[in-house]
Each structure stands twice: as C-alpha cells, then as structure tokens.
Amino acid sequence: MAETRKAPPSTRPPWHRDPIIRGYIYQVLLILLVIGFGYFIFNNTLHNMEKRNIKTGFSFLNSEAGFGILFSLIEYNASFSYGRTFVVGLLNTILVSTLGIVFATTLGFVMGVSRLSTNWIVAKVAKYYVEIFRNIPLLIQIMFWYSVVVKLPSARNSIAIGDWFFLSNRGFYTPAPVFEEGFGAVTGAMVAAVIVVVFLARWARKKQELTGEQFPVFRVSLAILIFLPGIVFLVSGSPLSWSIPALKGFNFKGGASFIPELMALLIALTVYTGTFIAETVRAGIQAVDHGQSEAAHALGLRQSFTIRLIIMPQALRVIIPPLTSQYLNLTKNSSLATAIGYPDLVAVFAGTTLNQTGQAVEIIAMTMAVYLSLSLTISVFMNWYNKKIALVER
C-alpha cells in the first residue's frame, strides 16, 4: 500500500491566508501610499514657491482688484476686492449653467420626442439637428454664435419687439422688475401657494392610487399659483413697477440686459447639449415596451395622455442617469466662456486675478473646488430624483 505523504507546512504568514485580513492590509497600504504621494507633492510645491519668493495664503482676497468686469449680477467696480471678483465669476458661472440646463433640457426633450414622430418633416428636422450639431466641436459653435451675435444691428438700429424688448449687437434688453415696499407679502403668498400645490399634488396622487379617479391637478395648481399671490398683490397696493429700457445716446439705459457673450455662450451650450439629451430621451422612450402604448390606446387614452402618464414615467428611469452626465458636462463646458470673453469664474478669477496676483496654487485650487462642488450638488440632486422615481418592489 502506497504511503500517504503529508503536505509540507505553509510558509505563508497567518494574515496572508485570511482573505478578509489580507484585503484590509492592502487597502491600508494603498491609503498610506496615496497620502505619502500627496504629502510629497505638497512639500515639493511649498519648496518651489519659497525658492521663487512666492507668498502663499489667501490674504490676497482682501486686496483691491483694480479692474472692471463686463457683466455682474451684484454690485461691482474696480475698487472691490479680489474676493468680490471670485463671487462675481461664481454667480456668472451658475447663471449660464442654470439657464443652459433649463433650455437644453427643454430643447432636448422636444427634439427627442420629435425624432419618434410619425410626421416625416418633424422627424427629419430633429434627426438632422442632432446629427449636425452633435458632431461639431463646442468651442467652434461658441465662436460661430458669437460672430453671429456681434453682427446684429447697432443699438440705434436694434430689432424692437414691441416697445419693451430690444436686440442689438450690444445685447438683449428686457424690462426689469422694481420691487417696492410691501412686496414681501406677495413673496410670502407665492411660497404659500407653492406649498399648497405640493400637498395638493401628493393628495391627488394618493387619491388616484386608491380610487383610480384623476383630479385636475394642473388646472387647480395653476389657479392657486396665479390667484393667491395676485389677490395679495392687489391688496398690498401693487408694490411692483417696471424699468423699461430706452435708447439714450449710443446704448440703452434701464431695464435688464444680456450681453452678447452670454447670449452666444448660452445658445451654443443649449444647442450642443440638447443633441445628446435628445438622443437620451429617444433611447428612454424606445426602452419602454410598445405594448404599453398599445394598451393605453386600447383603453381610449389620447396620445398626449399616453406619453405623459404611461410612457414618460417609465422612460425617465432610463433617461435620468445619462441625463445627469449631460448636466455635469454642460456645467464644466461653461468654462469655455473665456474664449469669447464672458466673465465666468475661469475668465475673471483663474484668468485676470491669477495674472495680477500670481497666486496660482490658491486660485486654481479654489476654481477646482467650485466646479467639484457644483458637480457634486447636481449629482446629489439627480441621484435623489432618480431614487424617487425608481420602481419600488412590493
């Protein structure tokens, strides 16, 4: 009978045999390696800056900027500090990103649904829009739209839309509201109306789930949003007036203005991002089984109700994740504004301020932190919304 030979004892250490302990050790080693690399970069940066007599710190934010900014949502002039320029650039970035997301979403959803239209002309127009503008680099589109805007008529020969709106190579001028004393009560009424509408929508949804009966939420909500603040507005003595733009000299005075750089950047971001959102919407709608729409039609639902109540709620579960990526891309692509001189964060703070102060590390770090914060905020909100509309297992 053959003699059974025992396996030689393992020479591996005890921790190497346990996969859980081994995994923890590898993770700790990786974290230490990353921390060590970061410490090396930090020390090397400080050494090089000290060698070149470059001061570190954020005290420069309190110094006078000494330069003007073309467009600002808050009061600003050359006597304000560099910290103020940071706020101005940040608000301008948030403005164009927010407007771009709203307009690109609207355009993308319209074009995405139009691509599936049974109308041949509508479907082809949507198709060629997507294929053309999706394949042209965004920077080229920004410069193209800017060249179109600056070739508009001068202020004296501006394109007038009624007596209130004017479009010229100086920008787009619109009436601006002037809030007078007592408008706070109207604002409170608006907030109260929104709260009432939110609770009304939740109640209507629960009622439909329990009884199957639909409540005219849209019409009732619209009436609440109009009449409640409207009544308070009239009772308060109409505490609102309008500043109308008027031509004085070579330009318009009064009202609100949108500079050509903002118009060109907003058009380019909207048109470019709208193409990707359109394809996302089309893919989401096509992901819904065709039997859903056939069943809705068999029950007598109109096409508009079928899309709004049957197709879109299911398609959104497919649309939202890639839509989040497009929102993030649009926000980061807004930094291309510096190519046409729109005073966003990159142009004002990471451009002019950096050149004047030489605080490259601090300014670039602050700029990176802003875009990181904006991106994380968008991601958190969209992930919350995606979770809210997700199917719940019963």
Side-chain angles (χ1 to χ4, degrees):
M1 185 174 179
E3 184 178 345
T4 304
R5 301 181 64 181
K6 293 183 178 180
S10 175
T11 58
R12 294 181 177 182
W15 61 266
H16 198 276
R17 301 173 200 166
D18 191 331
I20 298 178
I21 297 178
R22 186 170 65 244
Y24 281 129
I25 291 176
Y26 288 157
Q27 291 179 53
V28 170
L29 291 176
L30 179 61
I31 292 173
L32 292 176
L33 182 62
V34 172
I35 293 175
F37 179 74
Y39 181 75
F40 168 76
I41 294 296
F42 179 75
N43 272 351
N44 187 57
T45 302
L46 290 181
H47 173 73
N48 290 334
M49 293 177 67
E50 183 179 353
K51 189 176 180 180
R52 291 167 174 78
N53 295 321
I54 299 177
K55 294 181 180 180
T56 59
F58 296 91
S59 58
F60 72 94
L61 293 174
N62 298 321
S63 302
E64 182 178 315
F67 66 90
I69 298 178
L70 179 64
F71 176 77
S72 176
L73 295 175
I74 58 176
E75 183 183 358
Y76 177 82
N77 57 56
S79 64
F80 281 93
S81 65
Y82 287 117
R84 189 74 167 189
T85 66
F86 171 77
V87 176
V88 171
L90 172 61
L91 292 177
N92 288 346
T93 295
I94 293 176
L95 172 67
V96 72
S97 299
T98 304
L99 293 177
I101 287 174
V102 172
F103 293 152
T105 302
T106 304
L107 179 62
F109 268 79
V110 170
M111 288 299 177
V113 174
S114 298
R115 287 212 64 180
L116 301 174
S117 173
T118 55
N119 187 301
W120 185 86
I121 296 179
V122 172
K124 289 300 179 182
V125 168
K127 175 184 177 181
Y128 288 124
Y129 156 73
V130 170
E131 295 301 331
I132 291 173
F133 291 103
R134 181 177 59 176
N135 294 299
I136 299 176
L138 177 57
L139 181 58
I140 302 299
Q141 293 193 43
I142 292 174
M143 298 178 72
F144 167 77
W145 289 113
Y146 183 64
S147 66
V148 170
V149 171
V150 297
K151 290 182 179 179
L152 288 171
S154 63
R156 291 190 172 184
N157 300 314
S158 61
I159 302 172
I161 305 174
D163 296 327
W164 287 23
F165 300 91
F166 303 92
L167 180 63
S168 71
N169 58 6
R170 296 292 186 92
F172 182 56
Y173 294 84
T174 66
V178 179
F179 303 107
E180 301 172 357
E181 185 178 357
F183 195 80
V186 181
T187 304
M190 291 178 181
V191 174
V194 171
I195 295 174
V196 171
V197 166
V198 170
F199 281 101
L200 178 66
R202 291 182 177 180
W203 171 81
R205 189 183 303 112
K206 289 182 180 180
K207 179 182 178 182
Q208 183 175 354
E209 291 174 354
L210 293 175
T211 65
E213 297 180 4
Q214 285 188 351
F215 184 79
V217 178
F218 177 76
R219 286 177 289 179
V220 175
S221 299
L222 187 62
I224 294 174
L225 291 173
I226 292 176
F227 286 106
L228 181 57
I231 293 173
V232 176
F233 177 78
L234 295 176
V235 171
S236 303
S238 303
L240 177 67
S241 59
W242 294 90
S243 173
I244 309 299
L247 181 63
K248 294 182 179 180
F250 295 99
N251 204 356
F252 287 91
K253 301 294 183 181
S257 63
F258 297 89
I259 59 176
E261 292 79 6
L262 173 59
M263 295 168 56
L265 180 64
L266 186 58
I267 293 173
L269 289 174
T270 299
V271 171
Y272 180 76
T273 310
T275 61
F276 295 96
I277 294 178
E279 288 297 272
T280 300
V281 171
R282 181 176 68 89
I285 293 175
Q286 290 183 327
V288 179
D289 189 83
H290 190 61
Q292 298 283 331
S293 57
E294 291 180 344
H297 293 152
L299 292 173
L301 285 179
R302 294 198 300 261
Q303 181 67 18
S304 59
F305 282 102
T306 300
I307 294 176
R308 183 165 61 88
L309 301 176
I310 306 298
I311 304 301
M312 273 303 172
Q314 299 181 72
L316 282 176
R317 300 182 178 98
V318 179
I319 293 172
I320 294 301
L323 185 63
T324 303
S325 297
Q326 296 307 321
Y327 289 169
L328 296 177
N329 289 338
L330 187 148
T331 303
K332 290 178 286 188
N333 286 339
S334 67
S335 61
L336 293 173
T338 187
I340 57 174
Y342 175 71
D344 75 326
L345 183 67
V346 174
V348 171
F349 196 65
T352 307
T353 301
L354 190 153
N355 290 333
Q356 290 191 1
T357 62
Q359 305 290 141
V361 175
E362 294 85 351
I363 289 177
I364 295 301
M366 291 176 66
T367 305
M368 292 171 61
V370 165
Y371 282 101
L372 176 62
S373 301
L374 293 177
S375 297
L376 291 178
T377 302
I378 294 172
S379 297
V380 168
F381 174 77
M382 295 300 291
N383 288 337
W384 167 81
Y385 183 70
N386 186 43
K387 184 178 180 181
K388 189 176 184 298
I389 65 172
L391 288 173
V392 179
E393 298 283 341
R394 293 190 177 182

